[in-house]
Amino acid sequence: MNTVEAETQDIVALALAEDIGPGDITSEAIVPAEASACARLVQKQAGVIFGLDAVAETLRQCGDADFERLAPESEWRDQVPADLALVTGSARSLLAAERTALNLLGHLSGIATLTALYVAAVAGTRAQVLDTRKTTPGMRLLEKAAVVAGGAVNHRIGLFDAILIKENHVAMAGGIATAVELCRRSSPGVAVEVECRDLEELAQGIDSGADRLMLDNLDAETMIRAVAMRDAAGSGATLEASGGISLETIRPIAESGVDFISAGAVTHSAPALDISMLIEVA
């Protein structure tokens, strides 16, 4: 089992425990235990679907059900409404799974859809869209997988797999050059990124030999100057724009010549995609 599958199992178990508790008292009162049902998952809004594995896992944890996928994930779909999957099984199980399945599928598809819009906004430039660590606690791997489904690239997963020296690190180290040197000694072979709040810090970052320089909350005009500074210095460092990136502002930033643009909004501000589960008694 990979880490995404493990996270999916854990998230589904937590969500079902929260929703069902000791039992679905409405369904237990109305629906016979032996009743069977079929259901259609229907995409009602244009966008990118992602999260059908989470739906399948939700159904598995609620009881035996046959789950048939009818549509691919990671592709933009305009023709809606459209069936995504067919499910058959215990009526009580389908009713118990419905809300958790839709919550996860709508949320993850919303992230994939918003990400796809960000990616489309930078088309034709060199910039790649990155995600951030601004994710729902406990759902980072799933949400980052949704970002990839939308066509963007994962940044670091956490504090353990990449180095990002931010202003507080610089203050504690006594300067950018010292902070970079300390990180190189501590984790040789790991790429080092430095946050730069202005062109003076950018110059220090270039001189430090950092692998990537994050341009934090700089306007597009200043980013153009930053790209020119990097190129004039003959530095191999890549440049990442960050801070308050929106669909309205991302295009001029991409056209400045930066290599990456990180946007926390693709995970922390993505609206859920409109998806329904239509259940019929078999």
Side-chain angles (χ1 to χ4, degrees):
M1 181 187 302
N2 64 37
T3 51
V4 175
E5 290 173 339
E7 182 174 282
T8 301
Q9 286 191 3
D10 291 345
I11 288 294
V12 167
L14 182 64
L16 289 174
E18 176 182 65
D19 196 34
I20 299 173
D24 175 1
I25 58 176
T26 307
S27 293
E28 288 171 4
I30 296 172
V31 180
E34 67 278 7
S36 297
C38 58
R40 291 185 296 124
L41 278 175
V42 181
Q43 179 180 350
K44 299 166 65 178
Q45 179 184 0
V48 178
I49 291 297
F50 182 76
L52 291 175
D53 283 346
V55 174
E57 176 61 22
T58 304
L59 291 163
R60 186 190 70 79
Q61 291 194 26
C62 284
D64 292 332
D66 292 326
F67 182 70
E68 179 185 358
R69 298 170 189 248
L70 302 177
E73 295 187 310
S74 307
E75 295 180 5
W76 188 279
R77 295 163 61 92
D78 280 316
Q79 299 301 314
V80 293
D83 287 354
L84 300 174
L86 292 177
V87 185
T88 56
S90 160
R92 285 187 180 181
S93 294
L94 266 60
L95 289 166
E98 178 183 8
R99 178 42 49 201
T100 292
L102 290 176
N103 283 349
L104 290 169
L105 183 60
H107 175 62
L108 295 171
S109 297
I111 290 174
T113 297
L114 183 58
T115 300
L117 294 174
Y118 272 76
V119 171
V122 305
T125 71
R126 68 186 296 172
Q128 288 185 300
V129 177
L130 306 178
D131 56 17
T132 70
R133 288 165 49 235
K134 295 178 181 178
T135 55
T136 306
M139 291 190 65
R140 180 166 295 169
L141 296 180
L142 274 172
E143 292 183 348
K144 282 182 173 281
V147 166
V148 173
V153 178
N154 292 151
H155 201 287
R156 57 181 181 161
I157 300 300
L159 297 175
F160 56 88
D161 64 332
I163 292 171
L164 174 53
I165 299 170
K166 306 189 81 170
E167 58 181 299
N168 289 332
H169 299 117
V170 171
M172 292 181 182
I176 288 176
T178 302
V180 170
E181 177 59 27
L182 289 170
C183 288
R184 294 276 193 220
R185 282 190 224 158
S186 176
S187 300
V190 177
V192 175
E193 181 172 7
V194 177
E195 179 185 72
C196 303
R197 296 169 294 175
D198 52 40
L199 295 179
E200 181 179 348
E201 290 187 348
L202 176 67
Q204 295 174 31
I206 292 171
D207 290 342
S208 75
D211 301 288
R212 184 179 298 180
L213 303 168
M214 177 185 285
L215 308 176
D216 184 44
N217 282 297
L218 304 184
D219 58 39
E221 182 178 345
T222 305
M223 289 186 193
I224 292 173
R225 295 172 62 191
V227 172
M229 283 177 59
R230 186 271 312 271
D231 293 346
S235 169
T238 54
L239 297 179
E240 175 188 337
S242 182
I245 308 296
S246 68
L247 281 174
E248 291 69 36
T249 63
I250 194 171
R251 182 70 192 188
I253 292 172
E255 290 175 341
S256 72
V258 297
D259 304 284
F260 302 101
I261 303 175
S262 54
V266 299
T267 49
H268 71 61
S269 295
L273 201 68
D274 190 4
I275 302 169
S276 294
M277 181 184 284
L278 307 178
I279 301 177
E280 298 177 354
V281 176

